[in-house]
Amino acid sequence: MIDDLTVDNRLRSRLDVAAPRFKANREALAAWMAKLASEEHLIRQGGGARAAEAQHSKGRLTVRERLKLLLDEGSALLELGLWAAHEMYEEYGGASAAAVVTGLGRVSGRLCMIIANDATVKAGAFFPMTAKKVLRAQTIALENRIPTLYLVDSAGVFLPLQEDVFPDTDDFGRVFRNNAVMSSLGIPQITAIMGMCVAGGAYLPVMTDTVLMTEGSGLFLAGPSLVQAAIGQKTGAEELGGASMHAEVSGTVDFKEPDDRACLMRLRSLVAKMGERSGAGLTQGNISDHREAFSRVEFDAQRDAPGFKPEELYGLLDPSPGASNVYDMREVIARIVDRSKFDEYKADFGRTVLCGYARIGGRAVGIVANQKTNQNQVFATGPAAGTNRIEVGGVIYTESAQKAARFIMDCNQSLVPLVFLHDVNGFMVGKDAEWSGIIRAGAKMVSAVSTSVVPKITVIVGGSFGAGHYAMCGKAYDPRFLFAWPTARYAVMSGTSAAITLADIRAKQMERSGKVLSDVEKKAIFDEIKASYDAQADPRYGAARLWIDAIIDPAKTREVLMTALEACALNPDVPRFNPGVLQT
């Protein structure tokens, strides 16, 4: 009887999987995904086969081998920052994945943040992007109160770039500051030293709660050569800072282990014995006795699966740079939320932004998403008040911004985490938009996003341009996680728009100097600028600089969000929502 009284909030799909356009998009994205997979496989090789052999010759495992032993059998690492430093530092031979692996993984049933040096890449040295990648992982752990495990095997700062690694607030030293802050907040941290840990990096393990160390590893502020140069003292590495010395003499190490395998098994055993704070320690698929701050219901993977296949998302967007994609964002929502059920908020108002409530993996979420189909709307104010207009999909209009701002505030009032789905061109411009108060409405939306206290997760599906990126919770607005599809484009404006503007400026500059340009020369300038701009808007470019936490398979968006939401739920403390002064 109760079921007969429930609201009909199940989304319908109008996606024609037999349409030529769907098939063309699916094939193009499949090819693009295959290319990405090949590049990611290469990144995961780290320093390559010879470097792996060198690691094995020391009796040590590679970082990927260590992770396979550490993680629960059958579970996978949600890797964050895989593309960090991509195509950077090439004058030094590159730094694959910034010489460190970070991500969320399940260890003895507990969701943990893992930070593991890759000694096959420049001996695990810290490049500028290495420090930033570790700091990003620590920030995620801090915001979500995630237990953090460090697998240390690093030669320390990469000296040729020390000025960009050492001194600033987002550089190497901040790692140790974060260790102390995390400890003060009760976030468990365990370090396993499985190789070299020298110079300033030696503080990291000792700043954490528990320290494990394998025989043959080294922990010292200065190595034997530097000690001899500094004070003239001759000593061997083992005597100076080996596992036995630190276990028996200095007392710095809590557990001395014979090798990597034993160390990792000890680490798993220690994690299994961690206590659980309120909201923590939740195992996917079961309901914990601990209370979460956010609504969660019993979840069954089969019963609560979306009503449509996630693989169908491959046919939704053309991945080509500059492609004009027109589609109903509800098709995406229908494939990521439980049972494809979505309570749409103000469905008939401000239609270029979709807002509504759903559940993902049993957890309640509020979704703010750009609608990519054109919408028919009535002018509310301005010179054309009362008349109809066509609103362009992907553009934020005054009414859309007002609706989104109010919805974001409602979610904060009701303690509902927010998920933002981007495919945004920016805010509307022009006389009608200005008369309607677009600046005021946009400021209201940006303010609501800025002061939001519930967890925010961002997924860039398509374009994320200009101030629209900010209003939809871009990187500067503290999303707990920021993911991107391979179809994402991330810049101040689209490549075509930027190329038209910049090519025109350059052509006029050349013509003022007396050069007359032919149409062919003008097109060549346009093509050159567009190619450069498109390369910078590519999600790999942003991921290399850690503007994006991970480039994800569209078909796995739901499971990635489930893991991210589980991580967010580990922190039950939500500050009081105080939106401040809003433009009205």
Side-chain angles (χ1 to χ4, degrees), residues 478-535:
D478 299 323
R480 299 279 184 96
F481 298 92
L482 194 155
F483 304 111
W485 286 10
T487 48
R489 293 294 177 267
Y490 194 173
V492 72
M493 65 176 73
S494 69
T496 299
S497 299
I500 291 171
T501 303
L502 295 173
D504 185 56
I505 292 172
R506 187 186 296 181
K508 287 179 178 177
Q509 288 174 336
M510 297 174 72
E511 287 170 352
R512 279 197 295 269
S513 65
K515 180 175 176 59
V516 179
L517 296 175
S518 67
D519 290 342
V520 173
E521 289 172 317
K522 289 180 179 179
K523 186 177 184 306
I525 293 173
F526 171 86
D527 290 343
E528 177 192 346
I529 294 173
K530 185 175 184 301
S532 174
Y533 210 87
D534 284 341

Side-chain angles (χ1 to χ4, degrees), residues 179-256:
N179 289 139
V181 172
M182 291 167 72
S183 182
S184 73
L185 292 172
I187 303 170
Q189 299 175 88
I190 304 178
T191 299
I193 302 170
M194 311 175 80
M196 290 298 104
C197 186
V198 300
Y203 285 109
L204 185 149
V206 187
M207 297 286 287
T208 63
D209 307 330
T210 307
V211 184
L212 294 75
M213 188 173 181
T214 59
E215 294 178 5
S217 296
L219 171 66
F220 25 65
L221 290 179
S225 298
L226 186 55
V227 167
Q228 185 174 357
I231 63 174
Q233 185 181 76
K234 292 185 178 181
T235 181
E238 184 64 31
E239 181 185 11
L240 179 66
S244 294
M245 190 285 290
H246 281 302
E248 301 169 15
V249 180
S250 77
T252 303
V253 169
D254 302 310
F255 296 90
K256 181 182 74 171

Side-chain angles (χ1 to χ4, degrees), residues 44 49 93 182 271 279 283 312 339 370-371 407 525 545 554:
R44 290 189 173 98
M182 291 167 72
V271 172
T283 302
E312 291 173 349
R339 302 191 187 191
N370 304 113
Q371 175 58 288
F407 178 74
I525 293 173
R545 289 150 183 81

Side-chain angles (χ1 to χ4, degrees), residues 123-169:
F126 269 69
F127 286 74
M129 290 307 300
T130 313
K132 288 174 173 55
K133 183 171 174 178
V134 171
L135 290 172
R136 175 59 182 159
Q138 286 184 320
T139 298
I140 291 171
L142 268 165
E143 291 177 336
N144 300 293
R145 306 294 192 264
I146 308 172
T148 303
L149 311 178
Y150 303 87
L151 307 185
V152 176
D153 192 350
S154 171
V157 169
F158 186 67
L159 292 178
L161 294 174
Q162 65 85 25
E163 66 180 274
D164 297 319
V165 182
F166 171 69
D168 213 342
T169 54

Side-chain angles (χ1 to χ4, degrees), residues 185-486:
L185 292 172
I187 303 170
Q189 299 175 88
I190 304 178
T191 299
I193 302 170
M194 311 175 80
M196 290 298 104
C197 186
V198 300
Y203 285 109
L204 185 149
V206 187
M207 297 286 287
T208 63
D209 307 330
T210 307
V211 184
L212 294 75
M213 188 173 181
T214 59
E215 294 178 5
S217 296
L219 171 66
F220 25 65
L221 290 179
S225 298
L226 186 55
V227 167
Q228 185 174 357
I231 63 174
Q233 185 181 76
K234 292 185 178 181
T235 181
E238 184 64 31
E239 181 185 11
L240 179 66
S244 294
M245 190 285 290
H246 281 302
E248 301 169 15
V249 180
S250 77
T252 303
V253 169
D254 302 310
F255 296 90
K256 181 182 74 171
E257 304 297 339
D259 54 33
D260 284 8
R261 286 178 174 80
C263 186
L264 293 166
M265 292 306 103
R266 177 80 71 182
L267 181 53
R268 285 181 53 81
S269 179
L270 294 173
V271 172
K273 296 174 180 64
M274 285 181 181
E276 299 177 3
R277 296 181 184 275
S278 178
L282 300 167
T283 302
Q284 201 166 11
N286 295 322
I287 295 295
S288 171
D289 292 334
H290 296 285
R291 182 174 178 81
E292 294 185 29
F294 313 110
S295 172
R296 182 188 180 198
V297 298
E298 186 177 356
F299 170 72
D300 181 87
Q302 291 185 333
R303 180 196 64 202
D304 298 317
F308 310 99
K309 297 177 181 178
E311 294 78 13
E312 291 173 349
L313 293 173
Y314 281 1
L316 207 59
L317 279 75
D318 180 352
S320 306
S324 179
N325 286 301
V326 177
Y327 61 94
D328 190 341
M329 184 63 86
R330 294 183 188 88
E331 300 286 0
V332 176
I333 297 171
R335 288 161 177 80
I336 64 174
V337 302
D338 293 358
R339 302 191 187 191
S340 299
K341 289 187 173 184
F342 182 60
D343 295 306
E344 189 167 349
Y345 176 87
K346 294 185 186 290
D348 299 317
F349 180 75
R351 296 174 185 171
T352 62
V353 173
L354 298 174
C355 298
Y357 300 98
R359 290 189 184 275
I360 299 177
R363 289 187 165 89
V365 296
I367 295 175
V368 181
N370 304 113
Q371 175 58 288
K372 286 295 289 181
T373 59
N374 295 340
Q375 301 293 312
N376 193 347
Q377 189 79 44
V378 176
F379 278 98
T381 58
T387 62
N388 287 327
R389 68 179 176 196
I390 298 296
E391 293 186 342
V392 179
V395 176
I396 302 175
Y397 289 77
T398 299
E399 295 83 359
S400 304
Q402 291 172 337
K403 176 174 81 172
R406 173 59 188 273
F407 178 74
I408 291 165
M409 289 189 286
D410 283 356
C411 286
N412 277 270
Q413 187 76 0
S414 302
L415 292 181
V416 180
L418 286 158
V419 174
F420 293 82
L421 303 177
H422 286 219
D423 198 343
V424 59
N425 298 331
F427 286 92
M428 190 58 188
V429 296
K431 180 178 175 181
D432 290 330
E434 299 294 356
W435 280 40
S436 71
I438 186 65
I439 297 175
R440 188 174 70 249
K444 189 185 299 183
M445 184 176 176
V446 169
S447 180
V449 172
S450 302
T451 58
S452 176
V453 294
V454 296
K456 298 171 290 190
I457 302 172
T458 296
V459 181
I460 303 177
V461 172
S464 188
F465 299 122
H469 172 75
Y470 304 150
M472 291 293 294
C473 195
K475 185 65 183 291
Y477 292 81
D478 299 323
R480 299 279 184 96
F481 298 92
L482 194 155
F483 304 111
W485 286 10

Side-chain angles (χ1 to χ4, degrees), residues 563-582:
T563 300
L565 287 165
E566 180 184 356
C568 292
L570 297 179
N571 182 3
D573 299 323
V574 184
R576 178 177 173 269
F577 178 50
N578 183 10
V581 176
L582 291 175

